[in-house]
Amino acid sequence: MAESRKSERRELSPTIKTLAAHTGYSIATISKALRGSPVVAQPTRDAIVAAAQELGYQANARGMALRTGKTYRAAVLMPITSAVGYEWDGVEYTQILSGISQALEDSDYQLSVHGFRSFDDAFDIARRLVDQSAADGLIFSGVRADDPRIDMLVESGFPFVSLGRCRTPLTYAHVDVDNEWAAFTATARLIAGGHQRIALINADRRLSYALDRIDGFSRAFNEAGLAASSDLIADGDLSTRFGRDSALRLLGLPNPPTALVCINESTTLGVLSALGSLERRVGVDVDVIAYDDINVSAYFTPPITTFYQPIELLGRKLGEFLLRRMAGEDPANLTLVSRPELIGRQPDNLGGQNRR
Amino acid sequence: MAESRKSERRELSPTIKTLAAHTGYSIATISKALRGSPVVAQPTRDAIVAAAQELGYQANARGMALRTGKTYRAAVLMPITSAVGYEWDGVEYTQILSGISQALEDSDYQLSVHGFRSFDDAFDIARRLVDQSAADGLIFSGVRADDPRIDMLVESGFPFVSLGRCRTPLTYAHVDVDNEWAAFTATARLIAGGHQRIALINADRRLSYALDRIDGFSRAFNEAGLAASSDLIADGDLSTRFGRDSALRLLGLPNPPTALVCINESTTLGVLSALGSLERRVGVDVDVIAYDDINVSAYFTPPITTFYQPIELLGRKLGEFLLRRMAGEDPANLTLVSRPELIGRQPDNLGGQNRR
DNA sequence: TTAAACAATAAAAACGTTTTTATCTTTCTT
DNA sequence: AAGAAAGATAAAAACGTTTTTATTGTTTAA
């Protein structure tokens, strides 16, 4: 546990003046010594550092902030799940925040979270942060194909890292999953398993990664010389209900899918629920491939094939990139597009009966 | 969208001095006028407010912070999920943060998140926040039966609200779920359904609410004149794996449970996975009652009976209470113990075959 | 009618830093 | 041996507020 738990009625924490009185040096010298300025002599620095240690001196963050104009805060925009009938949506934010928090752990930066209710809201919050310099850097996700936040931030030179890429040719720090590749690979796997009618349970098409997935989905059909089953693309929010409703609707079509690719585990659970209601079995009547996010698909009954996305790792990268960006590093060096790992838990060929 | 998207190269944001020059009043008067001090004359106040509006003046948070000693931050302690093979451990921090964020929305407070890796770590962070007054208030969960954080915070008079109650008789602001009642009700329902061997998939016994659940569990047996199946209490983390492993182990015992009460949806999914592996069916071979947290049990196959916990609402209450506590309200008035709502999706009597 | 009370505002001080500028020694140059 | 350069530290200014104290002018009280 902590060094000494009892709150030893410590009279006001020491300031730089306390340290000055204690050491005999001026506050200017002390500040320079502790900030590592080369102008102060080595013995002096040692004495000051020792005294600071002894008194338990910690520079007052408010004083530093006022003088330097920095806030020592990294802001994150987080969607608020204000829906009344709330359902599992954005569970992975816990992991993202956790990853960012780890990255910031050894820095002077604190993590501040800003909830937003709509895309416009998110934009306004971002702008306010920049205008008032209420933070030194920003992280956000839910990137749109043409995202005004990115335009605004790039123009203002404010340090930021996005989770996801927009489709505008700009240079900015970002972390992303290779969604095009993943959707391609999932679809191609199903096509190889004999499927021709494949559904894609997708996110809102305004989101950049939703388009990426459609691209990959279509490319898999093209490369196989088939027509993509574009009529089987459902887009909506990422709720379990959406997954269930979409599956029920698609499987009721005259020419229904024999396989489904799901955007995340929440919708997957909904799809599995729909299949249960319709008494169709995974791996027998229909195949399902999903994207892992909270890494739980192994426990579905039956376990299903997924792309594992190391979300917490992506969170750590977001934090690391932001620190480096705030330190002045060129955003062109701060990009990562990670390929998720395919974890095959089913043959995804309807037990072979569907094989061409 | 925002008023004007283009970043109109706004030359440095206006300070109180700008406003002074613009209105002809002194900065002292301006500060008082904007803070609502009664000493400034009404026409003066109006003129100043109008000017502030016109120039888009926003008080600089750093200046205020330094002068007042306040930080305008509400801190939240969040567990870091640093495990390599991360699994959903069920603590729905996204919703908690979302709720808190909503509560703080119309206040001057910002939400800052502090990740911790261990209980001791959490304590140290809390203490540092207090010592350095790096925040004006604190929210945390994972309360232990005897929680040193609560002792320390109460003693120091630092405003805080905990999600969960400790077992020490102290007065402090808190929000909690009535876990004793919920465990009692779930267990009694199963006993009424004819079950006598009931398992409790529980959290770590150092946690206060884990003890509460054991109390309720035991009371249900006592009131039915039965001996509690205390040998069927499993405690561990809240991961899906823990749920699965526990169920596999318990069902392999010589005198196995016929029903299980699960601490959250993550462990429930693990339990259902185990039942699938063992080819036992919910509602036929074994009954399961769970606690909802991300509100997804309706989509399990089959849907199972749960206690619905309005986590996001609890989050809002946490934020609301903290604001009131920071405003000086007596913590004795800031307590809420919410009874979760039972949502019966199964008869929980093994289809009647087990009824006494 | 003059001192005292009051109302309204201005001036100054303070919060704790960092950074710029000034001062004082010492050490080179020539 | 005198002036210049360099090294080390101190002093002062500044960041943008809020709060305390001071200064006006105006009204009240006796």
Side-chain angles (χ1 to χ4, degrees):
Chain A
M1 179 93 4
E3 320 86 86
S4 90
R5 179 165 315 164
K6 51 174 55 110
S7 92
E8 53 216 2
R9 202 45 61 223
R10 159 192 326 229
E11 63 286 325
L12 267 33
S13 32
T15 77
I16 202 168
K17 279 183 194 152
T18 320
L19 217 48
H22 196 262
T23 60
Y25 291 103
S26 72
I27 61 167
T29 303
I30 290 176
S31 174
K32 289 183 193 124
L34 295 177
R35 285 318 127 228
S37 161
V39 308
V40 30
Q42 195 49 250
T44 309
R45 175 190 318 282
D46 293 344
I48 289 174
V49 167
Q53 191 83 12
E54 184 197 343
L55 298 188
Y57 169 77
Q58 289 272 101
N60 178 291
R62 289 181 283 277
M64 286 173 64
L66 176 59
R67 173 64 223 214
T68 62
K70 292 183 65 176
T71 61
Y72 299 96
R73 277 188 231 197
V76 175
L77 301 182
M78 187 183 85
I80 280 184
T81 58
S82 61
V84 178
Y86 168 80
E87 292 189 354
W88 179 9
D89 184 13
V91 176
E92 71 289 349
Y93 250 86
T94 304
Q95 284 183 80
I96 295 177
L97 289 176
S98 173
I100 297 173
S101 169
Q102 284 176 63
L104 299 182
E105 209 162 25
D106 295 323
S107 76
D108 291 331
Y109 288 91
Q110 282 189 1
L111 180 56
S112 73
V113 171
H114 300 258
F116 65 86
R117 306 187 107 94
S118 68
F119 188 79
D120 288 356
D121 198 16
F123 178 86
D124 289 344
I125 290 174
R127 236 218 350 204
R128 197 157 51 242
L129 288 171
V130 173
D131 283 353
Q132 304 179 202
S133 38
D136 300 333
L138 178 62
I139 291 173
F140 59 91
S141 65
V143 174
R144 295 205 171 172
D146 180 5
D147 197 306
R149 296 173 300 186
I150 294 182
D151 297 337
M152 184 267 289
L153 290 164
V154 166
E155 196 195 346
S156 69
F158 194 85
F160 75 100
V161 185
S162 62
L163 178 57
R165 289 162 288 172
C166 65
R167 294 191 160 209
T168 315
L170 289 169
T171 303
Y172 56 95
H174 62 260
V175 169
D176 202 0
V177 168
D178 194 341
N179 284 289
E180 198 274 344
W181 177 85
F184 168 80
T185 306
T187 311
R189 178 181 170 99
L190 290 167
I191 291 172
H195 296 279
Q196 304 219 359
R197 295 285 291 163
I198 303 173
L200 178 64
I201 308 297
N202 204 17
D204 188 317
R205 276 176 209 246
R206 286 174 299 187
L207 290 165
S208 196
Y209 75 86
L211 300 178
D212 293 343
R213 295 195 185 186
I214 292 176
D215 287 350
F217 177 77
S218 304
R219 180 161 68 90
F221 283 99
N222 291 344
E223 294 198 358
L226 298 170
S229 49
S230 306
D231 55 318
L232 299 180
I233 299 178
D235 45 73
D237 62 26
L238 300 179
S239 68
T240 311
R241 175 180 304 279
F242 165 67
R244 179 179 159 91
D245 291 349
S246 300
L248 288 175
R249 179 177 65 76
L250 291 167
L251 290 166
L253 291 175
N255 191 5
T258 57
L260 297 99
V261 177
C262 298
I263 199 87
N264 68 359
E265 282 173 318
S266 170
T267 51
T268 303
L269 185 62
V271 165
L272 296 181
S273 165
L275 294 176
S277 302
L278 298 171
E279 301 196 340
R280 313 246 186 125
R281 283 160 303 161
V282 173
V284 178
D285 304 309
V286 65
D287 280 323
V288 175
I289 295 187
Y291 288 79
D292 249 324
D293 39 16
I294 59 173
N295 200 15
V296 109
S297 294
Y299 298 100
F300 287 153
T301 307
I304 64 172
T305 297
T306 57
F307 283 94
Y308 174 68
Q309 308 184 83
I311 297 206
E312 200 207 17
L313 175 75
L314 299 183
R316 277 208 294 275
K317 277 291 173 191
L318 285 169
E320 181 199 323
F321 282 4
L322 187 65
L323 284 176
R324 288 165 62 184
R325 183 71 192 90
M326 291 189 298
E329 198 163 329
D330 184 349
N333 300 332
L334 301 172
T335 68
L336 170 71
V337 177
S338 128
R339 291 206 162 167
E341 180 193 356
L342 180 78
I343 304 180
R345 298 196 181 90
Q346 296 286 330
D348 298 313
N349 60 3
L350 292 185
Q353 71 183 56
N354 207 22
R355 192 176 296 281
R356 288 182 290 184
Chain B
M1 180 93 2
E3 320 85 87
S4 90
R5 180 164 315 163
K6 53 172 51 110
S7 95
E8 52 215 2
R9 202 43 62 222
R10 162 192 321 233
E11 62 286 325
L12 268 34
S13 34
T15 78
I16 202 169
K17 278 184 194 152
T18 321
L19 217 49
H22 196 263
T23 60
Y25 290 102
S26 72
I27 62 167
T29 302
I30 290 176
S31 173
K32 289 184 192 126
L34 295 177
R35 286 316 129 229
S37 161
V39 308
V40 31
Q42 195 51 248
T44 310
R45 178 191 316 282
D46 293 344
I48 288 173
V49 168
Q53 192 82 12
E54 184 197 342
L55 298 189
Y57 170 76
Q58 289 272 98
N60 178 291
R62 289 181 282 279
M64 287 172 64
L66 176 58
R67 173 62 223 216
T68 62
K70 292 182 65 175
T71 61
Y72 299 97
R73 277 188 231 196
V76 175
L77 302 182
M78 186 181 87
I80 280 182
T81 57
S82 61
V84 178
Y86 169 78
E87 289 193 355
W88 178 23
D89 66 2
V91 179
E92 217 13 271
Y93 257 86
T94 303
Q95 283 183 79
I96 295 177
L97 290 175
S98 175
I100 298 172
S101 169
Q102 285 176 61
L104 299 182
E105 209 162 24
D106 296 322
S107 76
D108 291 332
Y109 289 91
Q110 282 190 3
L111 180 55
S112 73
V113 171
H114 301 257
F116 64 88
R117 307 189 107 95
S118 69
F119 188 79
D120 288 356
D121 198 16
F123 178 86
D124 289 343
I125 291 173
R127 233 212 0 198
R128 196 158 50 242
L129 288 171
V130 173
D131 283 352
Q132 303 179 204
S133 39
D136 300 333
L138 179 61
I139 291 173
F140 58 90
S141 65
V143 174
R144 297 206 170 171
D146 179 6
D147 197 307
R149 295 173 300 185
I150 294 184
D151 298 337
M152 184 267 289
L153 291 165
V154 166
E155 194 194 349
S156 69
F158 194 85
F160 75 100
V161 185
S162 62
L163 178 55
R165 289 164 288 171
C166 65
R167 297 194 157 205
T168 315
L170 288 170
T171 303
Y172 56 95
H174 62 261
V175 169
D176 202 1
V177 168
D178 194 342
N179 284 290
E180 198 276 344
W181 178 86
F184 168 80
T185 306
T187 310
R189 177 180 170 98
L190 290 168
I191 290 173
H195 294 279
Q196 305 218 358
R197 295 285 291 165
I198 303 173
L200 177 64
I201 308 297
N202 204 18
D204 189 316
R205 277 176 207 244
R206 284 173 300 187
L207 291 165
S208 196
Y209 75 87
L211 299 179
D212 294 343
R213 295 196 183 185
I214 293 176
D215 287 349
F217 178 77
S218 303
R219 181 161 68 89
F221 282 99
N222 291 343
E223 295 197 359
L226 298 170
S229 49
S230 306
D231 55 317
L232 299 180
I233 299 177
D235 45 72
D237 62 26
L238 300 178
S239 68
T240 309
R241 175 180 304 279
F242 165 66
R244 177 177 160 92
D245 290 349
S246 300
L248 288 175
R249 180 176 64 77
L250 291 168
L251 291 166
L253 289 176
N255 190 7
T258 58
L260 298 100
V261 177
C262 297
I263 199 85
N264 68 359
E265 281 174 316
S266 170
T267 51
T268 304
L269 185 62
V271 165
L272 296 181
S273 165
L275 293 176
S277 301
L278 298 171
E279 300 196 340
R280 314 248 184 122
R281 283 159 302 161
V282 173
V284 177
D285 304 309
V286 66
D287 280 323
V288 176
I289 296 187
Y291 289 79
D292 248 324
D293 41 15
I294 59 175
N295 199 14
V296 107
S297 295
Y299 298 99
F300 286 154
T301 307
I304 63 171
T305 298
T306 55
F307 284 94
Y308 174 68
Q309 308 185 82
I311 298 208
E312 200 205 18
L313 174 75
L314 299 184
R316 277 208 294 275
K317 277 291 172 191
L318 285 170
E320 182 199 321
F321 282 3
L322 188 64
L323 284 177
R324 289 165 62 185
R325 184 72 193 90
M326 292 190 297
E329 199 164 327
D330 184 350
N333 299 332
L334 301 173
T335 67
L336 170 71
V337 178
S338 130
R339 289 206 166 168
E341 179 192 357
L342 180 78
I343 304 180
R345 298 196 182 89
Q346 296 287 329
D348 298 314
N349 60 2
L350 291 186
Q353 71 182 59
N354 206 22
R355 192 177 295 282
R356 286 183 288 180

